Amino acid sequence: MSNMTTEAPVNTFLPGGRRRHRKPRQNGTGNGLRRALVLAMAVPVASTALAAPSAFAADKTVGAAAKTDDLDATDQRMASNLETRVLDQRLGLNVSGVVVDADSDTTVWGHNASTALMPASNAKLATSTAALTVLGPHHRFTTKVVYGHGALTLVGGGDRTLTTADLAELAKTAVAGLKAAGLTSVKVAVDDSLFPEPTLAAGWNDGYYPDTVAPVRALVVDGHGVQDTSIDAGQVFAKQLAAEGVTVDGDVTRATVGPGDVPVARHRSAPLKEIVHTMLKHSDNNIAETLLRMTALAAGRPATFEGGTEVVRQVLTRVYGVSLDNFELYDGSGLSRADRIPAATLAQILELLTQHRYAHTLGSILDGLPVAGEAGSTLGPEYGRFDDANSKCAVGKVHAKTGTLTGAVALSGLTQGKDGRWKVFSFVENGSTVDPNAIKDAMDDLAATVNGCYA
């Protein structure tokens, strides 16, 4: 991503246009929430639009189906269909699911909704919410180059979108300074001390890295899946320096910038809202893990897995009133096989996106959700999504975050129901032994059922 970007408007659609006015709970004023959060952990909440906890969070019916008599005819039929289709053998026996009418805050249907299962990449919804809230949607990450003791040091600033072209611009600026000082050779070092160890999370399989996720460091270029992304980025930077006519002495090494080092160049990333949008569309594990650590730092916590997940929990509960019953999070991407999140909690997070007061802060999550049939996203035809006889009717109508691990498939999002009202849904299954593509087809069928096109 370039830092020379045109900011696109967020919220290409905003559910809940016909919503009734929501009264905040008596103890939930915006200033009170922010004060509580700051006092608890010094989180700089980004937007004054954050008011009270979600009205959904106080809904006592979450996790249980509403009484049939309280539903209109279309919701009754949808709930009845879901009750049957959630028993699809492809989904196995361990399924958590919930559907909420976003306009009325009514739980239309629930099936083991409070049961905590491996959420896979649905965990990125929690990470994104915390990052945007703490850092703010317009935050940019900075990569610097400093000079001292005969060396140029590339300093990682947590920008997981840094490219070779960006390093080329940094090199050009740095070389101009070197030549002005009469220098024609230099050593190259990298400083990635922003992120302490460990670089791997609890619950990650050995087979994950470096392809599925790289060991988490503060410096990387072109999203390279390598064991040491920092040294790799330094090597790319060294090649750019050489291309500008400067001799690089020796191998790239690690260093820590000192007070006497002189800043010579810097690059700023695109705004966080664009990075979140990209991360969700492609379910980028590496971006998610970097955002977790940068969120921790901004909240005054160590840039570790533990620091980041602590901030996620605090933001969800103290700012938005999301229930964290049975919630366990060990990373930012959802790759950890120790993560556990109920469908009810995922739905509460998504329900925030239907409220206008959160549009400024969380709008890029809404726009970043893959759309059924959207090429280039994780719900695109290249992944075989929404292409069977039952679900293809929902192409273009379902906006949802995917999640896939061995033994876990999830789909959580929003769609406009047959009654014209926006529905928030979450489906998570663990333990099915059938082909993962068959499981995904069954999940797509459930989403199409919520939409009402699969009646």
Side-chain angles (χ1 to χ4, degrees):
M1 291 183 179
S2 168
N3 61 347
M4 299 296 291
T5 56
T6 300
E7 293 185 2
V10 297
N11 300 330
T12 54
F13 76 98
L14 186 61
R18 297 184 293 130
R19 305 177 68 79
R20 61 177 170 78
H21 177 68
R22 299 184 178 195
K23 295 181 180 179
R25 295 187 296 190
Q26 293 300 313
N27 63 346
T29 62
N31 290 337
L33 278 168
R34 286 193 290 276
R35 280 197 299 271
L37 189 58
V38 170
L39 288 173
M41 56 185 305
V43 171
V45 178
S47 172
T48 57
L50 299 179
S54 164
F56 176 25
D59 186 350
K60 301 302 183 183
T61 66
V62 171
K67 293 181 180 179
T68 302
D69 292 344
D70 295 335
L71 302 177
D72 62 26
T74 56
D75 280 350
Q76 286 185 28
R77 184 170 185 179
M78 182 251 287
S80 177
N81 286 336
L82 286 173
E83 200 62 31
T84 299
R85 293 167 187 170
V86 76
L87 302 177
D88 190 314
Q89 292 184 352
R90 293 174 293 179
L91 295 172
L93 300 176
N94 201 8
V95 183
S96 176
V98 69
V99 177
V100 176
D101 184 288
D103 285 359
S104 64
D105 303 326
T106 300
T107 302
V108 177
W109 173 85
H111 178 85
N112 299 327
S114 61
T115 299
L117 300 177
M118 278 190 293
S121 285
N122 275 205
K124 293 182 175 74
L125 296 170
T127 304
S128 300
T129 300
L132 288 163
T133 302
V134 174
L135 292 163
H138 300 286
H139 182 83
R140 297 172 187 261
F141 304 108
T142 301
T143 304
K144 299 183 295 185
V145 178
V146 303
Y147 178 80
H149 308 289
L152 286 174
T153 302
L154 184 64
V155 184
D159 179 8
R160 208 49 176 69
T161 65
L162 192 71
T163 67
T164 294
D166 299 330
L167 291 184
E169 288 299 317
L170 287 172
K172 185 179 297 184
T173 302
V175 167
L178 292 174
K179 290 182 177 179
L183 300 173
T184 58
S185 65
V186 70
K187 296 178 181 178
V188 173
V190 294
D191 182 347
D192 62 355
S193 59
L194 189 66
F195 292 175
E197 293 186 341
T199 60
L200 307 175
W204 283 5
N205 286 346
D206 290 344
Y208 286 169
Y209 39 88
D211 296 329
T212 302
V213 66
V216 185
R217 305 182 195 278
L219 184 60
V220 66
V221 63
D222 294 331
H224 287 168
V226 296
Q227 289 288 355
D228 194 330
T229 60
S230 300
I231 293 295
D232 175 69
Q235 291 168 344
V236 174
F237 180 59
K239 290 179 181 177
Q240 300 304 315
L241 292 171
E244 293 292 328
V246 169
T247 300
V248 176
D249 294 334
D251 296 330
V252 175
T253 60
R254 270 190 168 78
T256 302
V257 171
D261 291 331
V262 180
V264 296
R266 72 170 188 168
H267 170 79
R268 299 181 72 208
S269 73
L272 176 60
K273 63 181 182 179
E274 296 182 23
I275 295 174
V276 166
H277 183 279
T278 297
M279 185 264 285
L280 293 174
K281 286 291 184 188
H282 304 290
S283 201
D284 191 302
N285 298 313
N286 292 297
I287 291 178
E289 296 303 341
T290 301
L291 292 185
L292 184 76
R293 297 204 178 205
M294 295 305 290
T295 301
L297 275 178
R301 289 291 185 266
T304 60
F305 293 106
E306 292 80 5
T309 54
E310 178 191 1
V311 175
V312 170
R313 295 177 63 92
Q314 294 287 347
V315 169
L316 291 178
T317 55
R318 294 182 180 273
V319 178
Y320 298 112
V322 172
S323 169
L324 296 186
D325 292 345
N326 306 317
F327 179 99
E328 296 182 48
L329 192 66
Y330 294 88
D331 63 1
S333 62
L335 284 173
S336 175
R337 302 192 66 81
D339 291 344
R340 295 292 185 272
I341 305 179
T345 299
L346 292 168
Q348 288 183 46
I349 296 170
L350 285 164
E351 196 267 351
L352 300 172
L353 308 183
T354 72
Q355 300 185 47
H356 288 275
R357 57 182 169 168
Y358 301 135
H360 172 78
T361 302
L362 304 180
S364 57
I365 300 177
L366 189 62
D367 283 351
L369 291 176
V371 180
E374 178 186 19
S377 79
T378 56
L379 282 182
E382 60 268 45
Y383 290 95
R385 303 307 297 261
F386 289 87
D387 61 355
D388 70 11
N390 299 323
S391 64
K392 63 183 180 182
C393 63
V395 167
K397 301 175 183 177
V398 171
H399 306 249
K401 182 69 195 76
T402 57
T404 306
L405 285 178
T406 301
V409 175
L411 187 67
S412 301
L414 307 94
T415 187
Q416 200 166 13
K418 198 169 185 179
D419 58 4
R421 298 161 70 91
W422 285 95
K423 314 294 182 185
V424 176
F425 66 86
S426 178
F427 305 112
V428 185
E429 75 77 25
N430 282 186
S432 176
T433 57
V434 305
D435 183 280
N437 291 323
I439 301 172
K440 293 173 186 177
D441 285 342
M443 284 281 186
D444 295 348
D445 290 352
L446 294 180
T449 301
V450 178
N451 174 262
C453 68
Y454 177 25

